[in-house]
Amino acid sequence: MDLSGSLLIAMPGMADPRFERSLVLICAHSPEGAMGLVVNKPVNDLSFSGMLEQLNIPKAPNGRDIRVHVGGPMERGRGFVLHSPDYMSVGATMLVSGKFGMTATVDILEALARGQGPTSALMALGYSGWGPGQLEAEVQRNDWLTAEAPAELVFSDDDPGKWSGMLRHMGIDPLSLSSAAGRA
């Protein structure tokens, strides 16, 4: 099972409160583990402009202002830009299923500050990580639903509505979900 490029949708019974009602885009998945970014939990006390200021990156008058999210509980001081695949930083951008790019170098921040860079982007501080077999076990335990990740939903400005919006996109009424798992 390779979930790279898939979206994890937290089930109502999610035991870890850090992932309650979360959507996580899986950026890499292999037998060694998995890495993803939460795409619907904004950081409330830090703007992109504020972050650029902290990094001494000047923002041009036409500079972009993207949303900053909590990407996950791992390495919260490390930043990742999840973006549309129309931007590539040579040797630094990882393509995710051909639909997304992920860049963790300062050149993308500088491009966005100049009003350039990818068409769609969001910033994630930290990431979500799983060891060998851990994500597969969580999916099997019914902690997560998995689905193809629609870029328009991932980059939507409606962070509070993304979780239920993704479920509705899948034809699922969020109120009908149960936190109990079962096997037939």
Side-chain angles (χ1 to χ4, degrees):
M1 164 184 353
D2 181 2
L3 294 174
S4 298
S6 296
L7 206 54
L8 300 181
I9 303 104
M11 290 292 286
M14 172 57 71
D16 188 335
R18 298 172 296 183
F19 291 105
E20 183 179 355
R21 294 176 63 98
S22 286
L23 295 179
V24 182
L25 179 73
I26 298 299
C27 298
H29 187 206
S30 73
E32 289 79 44
M35 180 270 184
L37 300 172
V38 176
V39 298
N40 68 326
K41 303 280 183 168
V43 173
N44 296 320
D45 57 351
L46 179 65
S47 68
F48 185 66
S49 295
M51 192 181 69
L52 291 175
E53 199 173 294
Q54 287 179 14
L55 296 170
N56 293 317
I57 298 173
K59 186 175 177 194
N62 64 334
R64 310 255 310 273
D65 200 17
I66 62 173
R67 292 174 331 285
V68 180
H69 291 80
V70 175
M74 313 288 287
E75 294 188 50
R76 296 281 296 268
R78 188 168 177 196
F80 302 87
V81 178
L82 181 67
H83 55 85
S84 50
D86 57 347
Y87 176 90
M88 291 294 290
S89 178
V90 179
T93 297
M94 181 175 88
L95 272 179
V96 180
S97 296
K99 289 175 38 180
F100 301 96
M102 183 181 70
T103 305
T105 53
V106 73
D107 59 325
I108 192 168
L109 301 178
E110 292 167 341
L112 290 164
R114 289 190 307 268
Q116 300 168 346
T119 304
S120 301
L122 62 83
M123 180 82 195
L125 297 178
Y127 67 93
S128 304
W130 293 265
Q134 185 181 2
L135 179 56
E136 294 84 348
E138 289 181 13
V139 169
Q140 203 167 38
R141 193 174 57 227
N142 204 37
D143 291 344
W144 303 99
L145 287 175
T146 61
E148 188 170 324
E152 62 278 358
L153 186 125
V154 169
F155 294 121
S156 163
D157 290 339
D158 182 19
D159 289 316
K162 283 181 182 179
W163 182 81
S164 58
M166 184 60 202
L167 290 170
R168 282 192 294 281
H169 175 80
M170 295 170 65
I172 299 170
D173 178 354
L175 297 175
S176 70
L177 285 179
S178 169
S179 61
R183 298 276 181 254

